[in-house]
Amino acid sequence: MSKIKPSKGAPYARILGVGGYRPTRVVPNEVILETIDSSDEWIRSRSGIETRHWASDEETVAAMSIEASGKAIADAGISAEQIGGVIVSTVSHFKQTPAVATEIADKLGTNKAAAFDISAGCAGFGYGLTLAKGMIIEGSAEYVLVIGVERLSDLTDLEDRATAFLFGDGAGAVVVGPSAEPAIGPTVWGSEGDKSETIKQTVPWTDYREGSVAKFPAITQEGQAVFRWAVFEMAKVAQQALDAAGITPDDLDVFIPHQANERIIDSMVKTLKLPEHVTVARDVRTTGNTSAASIPLAMERLLATGEAKSGDTALVIGFGAGLVYAATVVTLP
């Protein structure tokens, strides 16, 4: 018989607060058209994107995260000292070590919270949320801060017609804490590494360091392949998350998919046969694709505008480079 005592965590976990930060600079499509041969109409029709936010030198990954996290902590009605874990999902923090989560945990004023970064691309928020849920139930933390943050303008090739218009910057954060009832459903997640070449960094950092390439690395993708995968495969994953939570599309109030492309969102809504009463996040129009930050930013905006309300049942799904994905059903804070 094991001598290890059982964990004394909460029976369930829930999102208690949400916060977001968008850089002050708003970049319309006209700016993108200065470096690619395209049109505003083409960009809008292919992606739905009208504007995006680009960070200034002062709006670092850490700075944006701290702003978003402060709002989430206040929204949750707790203090920073109560945060026992900080999980940051990002692909655009350019220091390999230490993790930016440690800086954020310190500057927020946590009491030496566990802190680490994860790299799961556009599914990173879902991965972080799942880890946070486990920490709450296991009892290793009472409250966990999950942050999705990107400065993708640093990894955008403004001469790449396929991607120059897609990416934006920003940070979204949620506080996850104990719950007396289920409020974060089972996560359906996975990876398809055989398709990893469809979204990738153009070259390794070492190639740039050694001078074998002159152009700074950027994110590139095979647009049509990614579109087909997202439309056909991710709708299946979304349905699996509904099934795992024991609900149907009729039970949903809100749908918050990764804000990659409005055509993908529309196709998923159609495939899932979501009822008209379901509010669909379309933050991509004015924020662009912010990878790991897109779901919490969209969640924050829906709640702030009143399009969604506390207690609503929401399906969230992220998908992207890897190819990785994560979907779950949550109760909104």
mmCIF file of all heavy atoms in Angstrom, residues 71-106:
data_model
loop_
_atom_site.group_PDB
_atom_site.id
_atom_site.type_symbol
_atom_site.label_atom_id
_atom_site.label_comp_id
_atom_site.label_asym_id
_atom_site.label_seq_id
_atom_site.Cartn_x
_atom_site.Cartn_y
_atom_site.Cartn_z
ATOM 1 N N LYS A 71 -5.721 42.879 -14.751
ATOM 2 C CA LYS A 71 -7.175 42.973 -14.954
ATOM 3 C C LYS A 71 -7.867 41.663 -14.583
ATOM 4 O O LYS A 71 -8.944 41.667 -13.982
ATOM 5 C CB LYS A 71 -7.457 43.319 -16.415
ATOM 6 C CG LYS A 71 -6.972 44.697 -16.838
ATOM 7 C CD LYS A 71 -7.190 44.915 -18.329
ATOM 8 C CE LYS A 71 -6.625 46.250 -18.781
ATOM 9 N NZ LYS A 71 -6.774 46.451 -20.250
ATOM 10 N N ALA A 72 -7.249 40.528 -14.954
ATOM 11 C CA ALA A 72 -7.847 39.229 -14.645
ATOM 12 C C ALA A 72 -7.900 38.981 -13.145
ATOM 13 O O ALA A 72 -8.900 38.467 -12.618
ATOM 14 C CB ALA A 72 -7.061 38.120 -15.338
ATOM 15 N N ILE A 73 -6.825 39.351 -12.444
ATOM 16 C CA ILE A 73 -6.780 39.165 -10.991
ATOM 17 C C ILE A 73 -7.842 40.027 -10.313
ATOM 18 O O ILE A 73 -8.551 39.569 -9.402
ATOM 19 C CB ILE A 73 -5.370 39.490 -10.465
ATOM 20 C CG1 ILE A 73 -4.376 38.430 -10.945
ATOM 21 C CG2 ILE A 73 -5.356 39.587 -8.940
ATOM 22 C CD1 ILE A 73 -2.921 38.795 -10.727
ATOM 23 N N ALA A 74 -7.969 41.276 -10.768
ATOM 24 C CA ALA A 74 -9.000 42.158 -10.205
ATOM 25 C C ALA A 74 -10.397 41.623 -10.506
ATOM 26 O O ALA A 74 -11.291 41.660 -9.649
ATOM 27 C CB ALA A 74 -8.834 43.568 -10.776
ATOM 28 N N ASP A 75 -10.579 41.117 -11.712
ATOM 29 C CA ASP A 75 -11.879 40.568 -12.111
ATOM 30 C C ASP A 75 -12.249 39.350 -11.268
ATOM 31 O O ASP A 75 -13.422 39.115 -10.966
ATOM 32 C CB ASP A 75 -11.844 40.197 -13.593
ATOM 33 C CG ASP A 75 -13.214 39.894 -14.165
ATOM 34 O OD1 ASP A 75 -14.172 40.635 -13.858
ATOM 35 O OD2 ASP A 75 -13.337 38.925 -14.944
ATOM 36 N N ALA A 76 -11.239 38.577 -10.877
ATOM 37 C CA ALA A 76 -11.475 37.393 -10.056
ATOM 38 C C ALA A 76 -11.720 37.729 -8.588
ATOM 39 O O ALA A 76 -12.188 36.877 -7.819
ATOM 40 C CB ALA A 76 -10.283 36.432 -10.167
ATOM 41 N N GLY A 77 -11.381 38.949 -8.195
ATOM 42 C CA GLY A 77 -11.609 39.372 -6.820
ATOM 43 C C GLY A 77 -10.632 38.776 -5.827
ATOM 44 O O GLY A 77 -10.960 38.585 -4.652
ATOM 45 N N ILE A 78 -9.409 38.497 -6.290
ATOM 46 C CA ILE A 78 -8.383 37.974 -5.388
ATOM 47 C C ILE A 78 -7.173 38.896 -5.439
ATOM 48 O O ILE A 78 -7.158 39.880 -6.199
ATOM 49 C CB ILE A 78 -7.972 36.538 -5.767
ATOM 50 C CG1 ILE A 78 -7.285 36.517 -7.140
ATOM 51 C CG2 ILE A 78 -9.176 35.599 -5.742
ATOM 52 C CD1 ILE A 78 -6.625 35.185 -7.477
ATOM 53 N N SER A 79 -6.154 38.571 -4.663
ATOM 54 C CA SER A 79 -4.909 39.345 -4.689
ATOM 55 C C SER A 79 -3.829 38.545 -5.395
ATOM 56 O O SER A 79 -3.903 37.309 -5.486
ATOM 57 C CB SER A 79 -4.448 39.680 -3.271
ATOM 58 O OG SER A 79 -4.078 38.497 -2.577
ATOM 59 N N ALA A 80 -2.811 39.238 -5.880
ATOM 60 C CA ALA A 80 -1.709 38.562 -6.576
ATOM 61 C C ALA A 80 -1.004 37.567 -5.670
ATOM 62 O O ALA A 80 -0.506 36.530 -6.126
ATOM 63 C CB ALA A 80 -0.721 39.598 -7.106
ATOM 64 N N GLU A 81 -0.963 37.855 -4.351
ATOM 65 C CA GLU A 81 -0.288 36.957 -3.416
ATOM 66 C C GLU A 81 -0.941 35.582 -3.354
ATOM 67 O O GLU A 81 -0.313 34.602 -2.953
ATOM 68 C CB GLU A 81 -0.277 37.579 -2.014
ATOM 69 C CG GLU A 81 0.621 38.789 -1.867
ATOM 70 C CD GLU A 81 -0.070 40.095 -2.264
ATOM 71 O OE1 GLU A 81 -1.204 40.021 -2.789
ATOM 72 O OE2 GLU A 81 0.536 41.164 -2.050
ATOM 73 N N GLN A 82 -2.196 35.496 -3.781
ATOM 74 C CA GLN A 82 -2.911 34.223 -3.726
ATOM 75 C C GLN A 82 -2.636 33.343 -4.944
ATOM 76 O O GLN A 82 -3.006 32.171 -4.958
ATOM 77 C CB GLN A 82 -4.422 34.469 -3.611
ATOM 78 C CG GLN A 82 -4.855 35.100 -2.289
ATOM 79 C CD GLN A 82 -6.333 35.450 -2.298
ATOM 80 O OE1 GLN A 82 -6.738 36.520 -2.751
ATOM 81 N NE2 GLN A 82 -7.149 34.537 -1.807
ATOM 82 N N ILE A 83 -1.989 33.904 -5.956
ATOM 83 C CA ILE A 83 -1.681 33.139 -7.163
ATOM 84 C C ILE A 83 -0.565 32.136 -6.868
ATOM 85 O O ILE A 83 0.525 32.504 -6.444
ATOM 86 C CB ILE A 83 -1.240 34.073 -8.311
ATOM 87 C CG1 ILE A 83 -2.369 35.031 -8.708
ATOM 88 C CG2 ILE A 83 -0.773 33.257 -9.518
ATOM 89 C CD1 ILE A 83 -3.541 34.367 -9.378
ATOM 90 N N GLY A 84 -0.845 30.851 -7.089
ATOM 91 C CA GLY A 84 0.148 29.821 -6.808
ATOM 92 C C GLY A 84 0.854 29.289 -8.037
ATOM 93 O O GLY A 84 1.797 28.506 -7.931
ATOM 94 N N GLY A 85 0.377 29.698 -9.214
ATOM 95 C CA GLY A 85 0.996 29.239 -10.443
ATOM 96 C C GLY A 85 0.781 30.236 -11.568
ATOM 97 O O GLY A 85 -0.289 30.853 -11.662
ATOM 98 N N VAL A 86 1.797 30.415 -12.391
ATOM 99 C CA VAL A 86 1.707 31.300 -13.561
ATOM 100 C C VAL A 86 2.154 30.503 -14.778
ATOM 101 O O VAL A 86 3.310 30.052 -14.837
ATOM 102 C CB VAL A 86 2.577 32.568 -13.400
ATOM 103 C CG1 VAL A 86 2.495 33.434 -14.666
ATOM 104 C CG2 VAL A 86 2.142 33.375 -12.183
ATOM 105 N N ILE A 87 1.239 30.318 -15.727
ATOM 106 C CA ILE A 87 1.530 29.573 -16.953
ATOM 107 C C ILE A 87 1.414 30.542 -18.125
ATOM 108 O O ILE A 87 0.369 31.175 -18.308
ATOM 109 C CB ILE A 87 0.542 28.410 -17.152
ATOM 110 C CG1 ILE A 87 0.559 27.468 -15.948
ATOM 111 C CG2 ILE A 87 0.855 27.660 -18.440
ATOM 112 C CD1 ILE A 87 -0.540 26.423 -15.973
ATOM 113 N N VAL A 88 2.467 30.671 -18.901
ATOM 114 C CA VAL A 88 2.473 31.583 -20.042
ATOM 115 C C VAL A 88 2.652 30.799 -21.332
ATOM 116 O O VAL A 88 3.631 30.058 -21.487
ATOM 117 C CB VAL A 88 3.600 32.631 -19.924
ATOM 118 C CG1 VAL A 88 3.616 33.538 -21.156
ATOM 119 C CG2 VAL A 88 3.421 33.464 -18.665
ATOM 120 N N SER A 89 1.710 30.955 -22.238
ATOM 121 C CA SER A 89 1.844 30.354 -23.564
ATOM 122 C C SER A 89 2.256 31.428 -24.554
ATOM 123 O O SER A 89 1.547 32.437 -24.718
ATOM 124 C CB SER A 89 0.525 29.722 -24.007
ATOM 125 O OG SER A 89 0.658 29.175 -25.305
ATOM 126 N N THR A 90 3.384 31.216 -25.207
ATOM 127 C CA THR A 90 3.881 32.183 -26.189
ATOM 128 C C THR A 90 4.902 31.519 -27.105
ATOM 129 O O THR A 90 5.588 30.587 -26.697
ATOM 130 C CB THR A 90 4.517 33.405 -25.501
ATOM 131 O OG1 THR A 90 4.885 34.380 -26.483
ATOM 132 C CG2 THR A 90 5.738 33.021 -24.682
ATOM 133 N N VAL A 91 4.989 32.028 -28.329
ATOM 134 C CA VAL A 91 6.054 31.605 -29.243
ATOM 135 C C VAL A 91 6.923 32.798 -29.627
ATOM 136 O O VAL A 91 7.811 32.678 -30.455
ATOM 137 C CB VAL A 91 5.491 30.949 -30.524
ATOM 138 C CG1 VAL A 91 4.701 29.700 -30.188
ATOM 139 C CG2 VAL A 91 4.635 31.928 -31.331
ATOM 140 N N SER A 92 6.661 33.949 -29.005
ATOM 141 C CA SER A 92 7.343 35.167 -29.435
ATOM 142 C C SER A 92 8.096 35.865 -28.311
ATOM 143 O O SER A 92 8.343 37.072 -28.373
ATOM 144 C CB SER A 92 6.345 36.130 -30.089
ATOM 145 O OG SER A 92 5.191 36.302 -29.296
ATOM 146 N N HIS A 93 8.474 35.118 -27.280
ATOM 147 C CA HIS A 93 9.392 35.633 -26.264
ATOM 148 C C HIS A 93 10.782 35.167 -26.672
ATOM 149 O O HIS A 93 11.065 33.978 -26.693
ATOM 150 C CB HIS A 93 9.024 35.089 -24.883
ATOM 151 C CG HIS A 93 9.989 35.476 -23.809
ATOM 152 N ND1 HIS A 93 10.271 36.787 -23.516
ATOM 153 C CD2 HIS A 93 10.733 34.726 -22.949
ATOM 154 C CE1 HIS A 93 11.145 36.833 -22.536
ATOM 155 N NE2 HIS A 93 11.447 35.602 -22.178
ATOM 156 N N PHE A 94 11.658 36.101 -27.016
ATOM 157 C CA PHE A 94 12.905 35.749 -27.677
ATOM 158 C C PHE A 94 14.051 35.377 -26.748
ATOM 159 O O PHE A 94 15.174 35.157 -27.203
ATOM 160 C CB PHE A 94 13.336 36.882 -28.611
ATOM 161 C CG PHE A 94 12.441 37.000 -29.825
ATOM 162 C CD1 PHE A 94 12.356 38.193 -30.510
ATOM 163 C CD2 PHE A 94 11.701 35.922 -30.269
ATOM 164 C CE1 PHE A 94 11.542 38.304 -31.626
ATOM 165 C CE2 PHE A 94 10.887 36.018 -31.377
ATOM 166 C CZ PHE A 94 10.801 37.214 -32.067
ATOM 167 N N LYS A 95 13.806 35.301 -25.454
ATOM 168 C CA LYS A 95 14.821 34.777 -24.542
ATOM 169 C C LYS A 95 14.506 33.307 -24.290
ATOM 170 O O LYS A 95 13.444 32.979 -23.769
ATOM 171 C CB LYS A 95 14.813 35.550 -23.217
ATOM 172 C CG LYS A 95 15.426 36.941 -23.300
ATOM 173 C CD LYS A 95 15.478 37.574 -21.916
ATOM 174 C CE LYS A 95 16.090 38.970 -21.974
ATOM 175 N NZ LYS A 95 16.120 39.612 -20.626
ATOM 176 N N GLN A 96 15.429 32.453 -24.672
ATOM 177 C CA GLN A 96 15.212 31.024 -24.470
ATOM 178 C C GLN A 96 15.054 30.688 -22.992
ATOM 179 O O GLN A 96 14.285 29.807 -22.612
ATOM 180 C CB GLN A 96 16.386 30.230 -25.053
ATOM 181 C CG GLN A 96 16.100 28.750 -25.224
ATOM 182 C CD GLN A 96 15.129 28.470 -26.349
ATOM 183 O OE1 GLN A 96 15.137 29.170 -27.352
ATOM 184 N NE2 GLN A 96 14.289 27.460 -26.180
ATOM 185 N N THR A 97 15.798 31.404 -22.163
ATOM 186 C CA THR A 97 15.712 31.216 -20.718
ATOM 187 C C THR A 97 16.175 32.493 -20.036
ATOM 188 O O THR A 97 17.021 33.215 -20.598
ATOM 189 C CB THR A 97 16.589 30.007 -20.268
ATOM 190 O OG1 THR A 97 16.267 29.663 -18.918
ATOM 191 C CG2 THR A 97 18.061 30.300 -20.395
ATOM 192 N N PRO A 98 15.646 32.897 -18.895
ATOM 193 C CA PRO A 98 14.616 32.198 -18.137
ATOM 194 C C PRO A 98 13.220 32.381 -18.741
ATOM 195 O O PRO A 98 13.020 33.247 -19.605
ATOM 196 C CB PRO A 98 14.702 32.876 -16.770
ATOM 197 C CG PRO A 98 15.103 34.278 -17.095
ATOM 198 C CD PRO A 98 16.083 34.151 -18.222
ATOM 199 N N ALA A 99 12.285 31.595 -18.268
ATOM 200 C CA ALA A 99 10.903 31.727 -18.716
ATOM 201 C C ALA A 99 10.373 33.107 -18.362
ATOM 202 O O ALA A 99 10.637 33.619 -17.267
ATOM 203 C CB ALA A 99 10.037 30.655 -18.053
ATOM 204 N N VAL A 100 9.635 33.708 -19.291
ATOM 205 C CA VAL A 100 9.064 35.026 -19.019
ATOM 206 C C VAL A 100 8.037 34.941 -17.896
ATOM 207 O O VAL A 100 7.765 35.939 -17.207
ATOM 208 C CB VAL A 100 8.445 35.627 -20.304
ATOM 209 C CG1 VAL A 100 7.164 34.899 -20.700
ATOM 210 C CG2 VAL A 100 8.187 37.125 -20.139
ATOM 211 N N ALA A 101 7.484 33.765 -17.648
ATOM 212 C CA ALA A 101 6.515 33.595 -16.567
ATOM 213 C C ALA A 101 7.104 33.961 -15.209
ATOM 214 O O ALA A 101 6.405 34.470 -14.329
ATOM 215 C CB ALA A 101 6.006 32.151 -16.547
ATOM 216 N N THR A 102 8.406 33.714 -15.030
ATOM 217 C CA THR A 102 9.027 34.026 -13.742
ATOM 218 C C THR A 102 9.079 35.533 -13.515
ATOM 219 O O THR A 102 8.853 36.014 -12.404
ATOM 220 C CB THR A 102 10.440 33.425 -13.655
ATOM 221 O OG1 THR A 102 11.258 33.947 -14.717
ATOM 222 C CG2 THR A 102 10.394 31.917 -13.762
ATOM 223 N N GLU A 103 9.384 36.282 -14.564
ATOM 224 C CA GLU A 103 9.391 37.746 -14.461
ATOM 225 C C GLU A 103 7.999 38.273 -14.163
ATOM 226 O O GLU A 103 7.813 39.161 -13.326
ATOM 227 C CB GLU A 103 9.915 38.350 -15.767
ATOM 228 C CG GLU A 103 9.899 39.871 -15.783
ATOM 229 C CD GLU A 103 10.320 40.459 -17.120
ATOM 230 O OE1 GLU A 103 10.804 39.704 -17.983
ATOM 231 O OE2 GLU A 103 10.149 41.691 -17.304
ATOM 232 N N ILE A 104 7.013 37.721 -14.847
ATOM 233 C CA ILE A 104 5.629 38.158 -14.656
ATOM 234 C C ILE A 104 5.166 37.860 -13.230
ATOM 235 O O ILE A 104 4.557 38.701 -12.568
ATOM 236 C CB ILE A 104 4.716 37.475 -15.683
ATOM 237 C CG1 ILE A 104 5.073 37.948 -17.091
ATOM 238 C CG2 ILE A 104 3.242 37.742 -15.384
ATOM 239 C CD1 ILE A 104 4.485 37.085 -18.195
ATOM 240 N N ALA A 105 5.472 36.650 -12.747
ATOM 241 C CA ALA A 105 5.071 36.264 -11.393
ATOM 242 C C ALA A 105 5.667 37.202 -10.355
ATOM 243 O O ALA A 105 5.009 37.591 -9.382
ATOM 244 C CB ALA A 105 5.497 34.823 -11.114
ATOM 245 N N ASP A 106 6.913 37.590 -10.562
ATOM 246 C CA ASP A 106 7.580 38.487 -9.620
ATOM 247 C C ASP A 106 6.989 39.892 -9.665
ATOM 248 O O ASP A 106 6.657 40.477 -8.628
ATOM 249 C CB ASP A 106 9.074 38.534 -9.944
ATOM 250 C CG ASP A 106 9.814 39.524 -9.058
ATOM 251 O OD1 ASP A 106 9.825 39.324 -7.828
ATOM 252 O OD2 ASP A 106 10.368 40.503 -9.597
#
